[in-house]
Amino acid sequence: MELRFYIVRRILVLIPTLLGLTLLMFLLEAMIPPALLEIPYFNPKSGISRTIQLHNAAILLGLNLPLPLRYFKYVWLILHGDLGVMNLAGYPGSVTLAIEQAFPNTIQLALFATILALAIAIPLGTFIGARPNSVADQVGRVFSLSGFAMPAFWLAVMLQIGLGKNVITGNPFGVFPISGSVPDVPIAPSFYTNGITSPTHIPIFDALLHADWSYAWGSFMHVVLPTLTLTYGILAGILRFIRAGMVDSTYQEYVRTARAKGVPERDVIKRHIRRNALIPTVTVMGLLFASLLGGAVLVETVFNYPGLGLLSVQAAINFQIFAVIGSTLVFGVILMVANLIVDIVYALIDPRIRY
Amino acid sequence: MAVSSDGQNSNYYVRVDGLVTRFFTSRGIVKALDGITLGIRKGEIFGLVGESGCGKSVTANSIMDLIPDPPGRIMGGSIFIDGFNIVSDIEKMSTVNVKSETNVKVRRRKRYIKRHNYILSRIRGKKVAMIFQEPFLALNPVITSGEQIMESIMLHDRIGIANSIIRRETIKQDDIDSFVDDVLAAHDPEDRKKVINRWTRQFGFAEIEPSLNDLFENEKNRERINSEIIRIAGEEKTGIKTARLFKARDYYRQLDNVFELSLRQLEMENEQEAEVRRLSSKLAETRTALAKAKQEQDASAIEQLQGEVQNLRKEIKEASTKVDRTEIRSLGRQIRQLKMEIFRKNLPYIIALKLLRKSTEKPFKNEARKRALELLQLVNIAEPTRVIDSYPHELSGGMQQRVMIAMALSSNPRLLIADEPTTALDVTTQAQILDLIKELRSVTDSSVLFITHDLAVIAEMCDRVGVMYAGNLVEEATSNEIFFNAKHPYTQGLLQSIPKTPDGGMKFQKLSSIPGSVPNLITPPEGCRFHPRCAFKMDICEKQKPLLVDVGKGHRVACWLYPDQQKVS
Amino acid sequence: MADVNVTGKMKPAVTAAKKRHPMLEDFSATFKAFTRNKLAVVGFSITMVYFALTILDYVYPAYLGVSNIDQVTSWVFPLTANPPTGPFIIPSTAAATAPHWWFWFGTSLSRQPILPIMLAALKTDITFTLEVVLLGLLIGITVGAVAGYLGGVVDETLMRITDIFFSVPSLILAIAFVYVLGYSLNNLLAALVILWWPTYARLTRGVTLTVKSMKFIEASRASGASKIRIIFRHVIPNVLSPSFVQLSLDLGTVVLILAGLRFINLPIISPLIPELGTMINDGNSVLVGGYWWAVTVPGVFLLIFTVAVNLMGDGLRDVFDPKLRGL
């Protein structure tokens, strides 16, 4: 009951931040000379004269209006799902459509990486945190530091060398494809339209829902190496915070109380130390997720994985202003939602923080 | 529990002998406890008093072996709880190599630590329970207070819980008949209530106790009483399948057997290795002395001590070859076999416990919840149903401390250690908590080790008092003796620093304080640790440490002012 | 009681005479705590070696064999006629060589040893990184301290602005910024400084709030010092340490952003200027030919630097975080 109010309030707090984000994006766009903003709207094949087309674009974008009004126009367009146009081989002409195609792939990647990282980091962090300053702890420390320090793009290349299929040299361990996100099947599966699968839009889940095992397996194999690369970075972060939290709560009084009650050592660690150690870890998950998204840009580029990151990089290299701004905005929104989830989880696991 | 050969005086529930506790910090070794010897008799309240930083809390934590390691550890002595020495394997668990004050290497042996923790987890909370100073910090913030109490109940009394469920579910007409007979036989209403109370506890019907009381007061017709009881009791039945509970009870009984065997194994090892242990503790001492001599660059001492170390090593080797391990090994084998057997026999239950934890534990949890509610009533909480589902931060300090006490009492410990339980509370709550502890002592008939720096509280609460100074017990006597016949200068000083109004008027007496402050325990004063602050300092005080000796009527004091007794000992 | 008071007063006077200057004392204690962490010392040393190499690049490039690197058109393809010379460099006539006993790091297709190119790349990478973090630190600390000290509307505005900057992953925002500003190294520098100051501003603001309520600030306020004077003389010197720790960790992050953006071929600098991300990208493009070292070696070189600064930052954090100090 109260939790629901908390969530509603937390969502309301998002609105100013969201406005701030759109303002920032708008200011970036406004720094581009208006002429450059009109040009992408010019379509030579349409038969309408260039001047008229550019004029229409200017009106659509509100380029003739003073800045504050232009900002409202910008927000208006976003609310109507219009993020502009782009002209790039392999992408549809509308930025919204391109993002719609890329978005599920990135979410799939981020989701897998986060889940895998949590699944490894929580038991491992518990193990390490229960033995501070042991050999395992030192190894864990170096491991998590190297995760922070690791250039994600370089690790991606290394994984390609080590585990990727290499048609030329024939890598004996090369079992994973190194490019793309879905298998090359001669006939597109029935649940696949316009580069988007339905109903969840996440390729692997949809394939499983439609019992298309080979497609699911193929998509899975494509996602393994990018996921591993991204997992490493975020895993390091989670591991470090769980470890620190464990060490911190080990010396708390309630742990001594648990021991004084006669709780067996294993349960002391699991029930009393770890539960409290997870609270600070949850609070930093938002930051870690941000770094994960940043890493996704590089990793998607290396693996030619058609997600938002690849879209924004290709747009940036090929001077597609609307796609750059649009994908940045969407990344911001993803991060905001992630932070919202983090806050809700935080309220759920820490009874003290609520409301 | 089997009583060990050196179980000492059976009057004592807990006996601490020559307890030495050290903290190895980066600044040096803190000599926190320096050979504490004290005993707590059955059913008494023993007070421990002294300035802050004198080692009261360390003593309390040491008795339950709750010293955080690192940095602290118990280095020697023995702690007998109910005749069993819980620190007998302390040397086996780890070897401490003191190279210098700040450079200490500790090697731990996992196998022994594991067994030690296992045995202690069965003793802590069950035989000795503890209440801490700051209930807000001592309760886990993310678990409800009820669950924290239930956890403690479920840890130590699974069999009892299972029994009471089984008894309730399989209650027979005969049981009710004999119960009604018993009640009607008692004419005094107080006696009746006691009988009803006993019966309801025994059969897990605590909730219906008030209605039974009413029933017996208002109803005289035997037949109707009988049918009414059956009706009330029937409502309480939950319809759990008892077959499963029988299995669970057997499982926990078998686990208890493993515990008994482990205890026996440990005791056997101790008997066998007593000589080796004595020698190795001597070796450790000599090594420390050697390290000190090396620091002071005392060539002759170094040579002599090195020789001693070598001799001791040889002796240890000889002694350890004499140890006959066959018996210990066979016991170890027996334990392993028993464990395997339990595992094999109870595999379905264990699997259910792992996979369907919630549903398997449910009957236990429900029962534990009932008991937790009872306990909360016992500690005078007005709304137990609200408190049981609250998180600690939602309760007031006094409430938190009551929850703490309920938790400590959950498995009827024979000793309750109260480590300054009222310091963090406001004055009115303090009085309530003190009354509660006193009251509970008379109800549950357990002993209390009461730690405080407040002499007034001591005077009110305690039967006997120990006075601590800088890691030593300097005086121990009955409450009266301490207050009217204090022997040690430190105790006298403490007493003079209490505000008093001698003739009951508002005339304030000038307070005197003991000059100076508690010494730094990394470099404690030589000899008697109190001598730098003592008004009666003599030469011998700086050189030799006085022993705790009897000066009559069980009054013991460690001071060179009473030299006759010192000589005798 | 009187006695105690006298000794209470005497004590600090006696000890103060023996002790060194308090700041020096503090520094030496910090240094001691830092050196206790061996890994941190290793990290610090490696970072210093990288910095020293960068300085050498500026002062005496020939000594590192990187003098005429600027004329190298592409380090992968054999376009240059005169391979560079220097004490570490032995001209070779062989084709691209894998690492062996003479060329520890292998050579490029143009038969240049990779090491001097990597050293030249350090100049680009580390200079850029230091510029970003130091400028960001300067702006962030000033803004953070002012906002934290003044409080009220100023503080609220600052927090909202930083919220917006934190709402997008920094690498992605950096791409958008540098796109809008136009691709060049200086514009990337500007973009990253714009993105980086909020981190320091937030950290500084947090500490300023605690420092603000301390006695010595009150004392100087009571003695009539101006707000500006208090902020710069008293507040800022006392709120540096968390930003300092963050800075050492950010060295790694920023260098990875530059290398990453170059790796994905964002035309920030000419591909002819040695830069580690560019080198890895070049190596990646010839990877299928089996030239594994062309991508591995620069990557490891970069990784060592980032690991080192992270070790150093980690050690610094342990020192400055009083909670962890005792352990």
Side-chain angles (χ1 to χ4, degrees), chain A residues 99-120:
Chain A
I99 287 176
E100 237 174 84
Q101 287 179 6
F103 180 77
N105 285 333
T106 298
I107 290 296
Q108 171 178 285
L109 203 57
L111 208 63
F112 282 8
T114 313
I115 292 172
L116 184 62
L118 282 173
I120 300 173

Side-chain angles (χ1 to χ4, degrees), chain B residues 96-113:
Chain B
V96 182
N97 190 358
V98 181
K99 285 180 177 155
S100 73
E101 282 272 319
T102 50
N103 183 4
V104 178
K105 290 265 162 1
V106 180
R107 231 187 75 219
R108 296 181 171 79
R109 292 188 191 80
K110 234 181 205 159
R111 192 161 71 94
Y112 292 112
I113 291 178

Side-chain angles (χ1 to χ4, degrees), chain B residues 229-240:
Chain B
I229 292 178
I230 291 170
R231 191 184 67 75
I232 302 174
E235 277 172 14
E236 280 298 306
K237 282 191 186 180
T238 45
I240 300 165

Side-chain angles (χ1 to χ4, degrees), chain C residues 148-179:
Chain C
Y149 186 78
L150 296 181
V153 184
V154 184
D155 190 34
E156 198 53 36
T157 317
L158 171 80
M159 291 312 284
R160 292 291 81 77
I161 292 174
T162 53
D163 269 352
I164 295 167
F165 279 107
F166 285 125
S167 67
V168 183
S170 49
L171 182 89
I172 295 158
L173 205 51
I175 294 177
F177 263 91
V178 78
Y179 177 92

Side-chain angles (χ1 to χ4, degrees), chain A residues 17 20-21 24-25 28-29 31-32 138 141-142 145-146 148-151 153-154 157-158 160-161 166 168-169 240 247-248 251 290 293-295 297-298 301-302 312-313 315-317 319-321 324-325 327-328 331-333 335-336, chain C residues 37 39 163-169 171-173 175-177 179-181 183 249 256 259-261 263-267 277 280 284 287-290 292 295-300 302-303 306-307 310-311 314-315 317-318 323-324 327:
Chain A
T17 322
L21 179 67
L24 182 68
M25 291 302 115
L28 283 179
E29 201 178 289
M31 282 168 75
I32 302 278
Q138 300 293 348
R141 189 172 195 163
V142 172
L145 268 174
S146 68
F148 274 106
M150 184 64 75
F153 56 91
W154 183 71
V157 173
M158 288 294 111
Q160 283 184 338
I161 297 176
N166 187 334
I168 297 175
T169 55
R240 180 207 203 110
V247 173
D248 216 39
Y251 291 92
L293 290 180
V297 173
L298 301 174
T301 312
V302 177
S312 87
V313 167
I317 293 172
F319 296 96
Q320 300 295 324
I321 169 70
V324 171
I325 301 281
S327 54
T328 309
F331 267 119
V333 173
L335 191 56
M336 257 177 219
Chain C
N37 184 347
L39 281 176
D163 269 352
I164 295 167
F165 279 107
F166 285 125
S167 67
V168 183
L171 182 89
I172 295 158
L173 205 51
I175 294 177
F177 263 91
Y179 177 92
V180 169
L181 296 174
Y183 292 134
L249 293 168
L256 284 185
L261 292 184
F263 174 80
I264 58 176
N265 255 332
L266 220 56
I280 296 172
N284 194 25
L287 190 62
V288 279
W292 57 268
V295 63
T296 316
V297 170
V300 172
L302 178 61
L303 180 64
T306 51
V307 167
N310 270 289
L311 283 174
D314 213 39
R317 179 171 24 215
D318 286 359
K323 243 195 296 181
L324 298 168
L327 297 175

Side-chain angles (χ1 to χ4, degrees), chain A residues 256-257 259 261 271-272 276, chain B residues 61 138 140 148 151 156:
Chain A
R256 187 175 60 171
T257 311
R259 292 211 172 95
K261 272 198 284 195
R271 220 175 310 166
H272 292 273
N276 284 285
Chain B
N61 284 322
N140 194 329
Q148 296 189 51
E151 182 181 29
H156 297 299

